[in-house]
Amino acid sequence: TAKLKICTCRLVKYCSVDCQKAHRKQHKKACKQRAAELNNEMLYNQGHERPEECPICTLPIPLRLGKHSYFNVCCMKMICHGCDIAAQKRGMFSCPFCRTPSPEDDAGKLAMAQARAKKKDPVALNFLGEQFCFGALGLPQSMSRAFKLWEEAAELGSVSALFSVGVAYYEGDGVREDKAKAAEYLSKAAM
């Protein structure tokens, strides 16, 4: 009638903490191995869905995203070429999603991205991090500034930023090299 406590490896059940402590020496190796297997199952069984879909038609955007879509700085959305062409046929030459006129120069794009970043938009923070990484849109190339932006975007849930932070830790770009942290961020991005 006692409620059994399940071990973290989910292989063994115990009637009490004393029973678990007594069995620990025999069970320790199998428990660690099963915990690693459970972690791998969790890692490889998630993240198969494609998050990239057009916000207008909701169709998935095929891989090689730049070939099939483009990124709008005004609303931070990836729009498929089909929706853009359909909007242009109707005489709408602004953003098909938010209807904002497209900026003509890099300063306009930068101002729009910074405005979204001030509102803690993870996509905008990741976008600005990429611009600092490559020195684009008139920004100076600064890996440390890019890393800070990516870290903030990762905390807000950006998968791309999690990946970028993991790569930065792995290569030691803008931050001290740390393979353990790199593995942690890269596995979070994969999940």
Side-chain angles (χ1 to χ4, degrees):
T1 60
K3 186 169 179 165
L4 298 178
K5 181 181 181 265
I6 301 172
C7 183
T8 55
C9 67
R10 298 184 186 142
L11 293 175
V12 183
K13 295 180 181 180
Y14 296 105
C15 58
S16 67
V17 176
D18 294 333
C19 188
Q20 184 177 11
K21 285 179 183 177
H23 188 244
R24 180 72 181 148
K25 200 175 221 181
Q26 299 167 340
H27 180 62
K28 187 175 181 180
K29 187 176 179 182
C31 186
K32 282 187 177 184
Q33 183 179 357
R34 180 63 183 148
E37 288 172 4
L38 288 172
N39 187 35
N40 284 342
E41 284 177 20
M42 186 174 68
L43 179 65
Y44 294 118
N45 288 337
Q46 293 179 351
H48 296 293
E49 62 277 349
R50 293 262 319 134
E52 316 302 355
E53 63 180 34
C54 178
I56 298 171
C57 65
T58 67
L59 292 174
I61 299 174
L63 286 176
R64 302 212 48 204
L65 300 174
K67 193 174 186 180
H68 304 285
S69 62
Y70 69 96
F71 184 76
N72 279 330
V73 179
C74 50
C75 56
M76 297 291 156
K77 301 288 184 193
M78 190 75 83
I79 308 292
C80 72
H81 287 309
C83 289
D84 184 45
I85 291 169
Q88 288 179 11
K89 282 185 178 181
R90 289 190 307 260
M92 186 173 61
F93 295 98
S94 56
C95 173
F97 184 75
C98 68
R99 313 274 164 97
T100 303
S102 299
E104 298 295 322
D105 57 349
D106 288 348
K109 291 177 184 177
L110 183 61
M112 284 183 163
Q114 287 174 333
R116 300 280 303 190
K118 282 181 185 174
K119 295 176 183 173
K120 302 295 182 195
D121 181 352
V123 178
L125 291 165
N126 183 55
F127 175 77
L128 283 175
E130 290 173 358
Q131 304 315 303
F132 273 108
C133 177
F134 299 113
L137 293 183
L139 294 172
Q141 188 172 8
S142 171
M143 279 306 293
S144 60
R145 182 72 179 124
F147 181 80
K148 287 178 185 174
L149 288 165
W150 286 332
E151 207 170 32
E152 189 176 351
E155 288 174 12
L156 294 170
S158 171
V159 176
S160 299
L162 281 168
F163 178 76
S164 297
V165 169
V167 170
Y169 271 123
Y170 186 80
E171 295 177 352
D173 284 340
V175 68
R176 188 179 312 145
E177 186 177 311
D178 188 342
K179 304 288 185 192
K181 280 190 176 182
E184 177 188 333
Y185 277 97
L186 292 172
S187 65
K188 282 181 184 177
M191 283 190 239

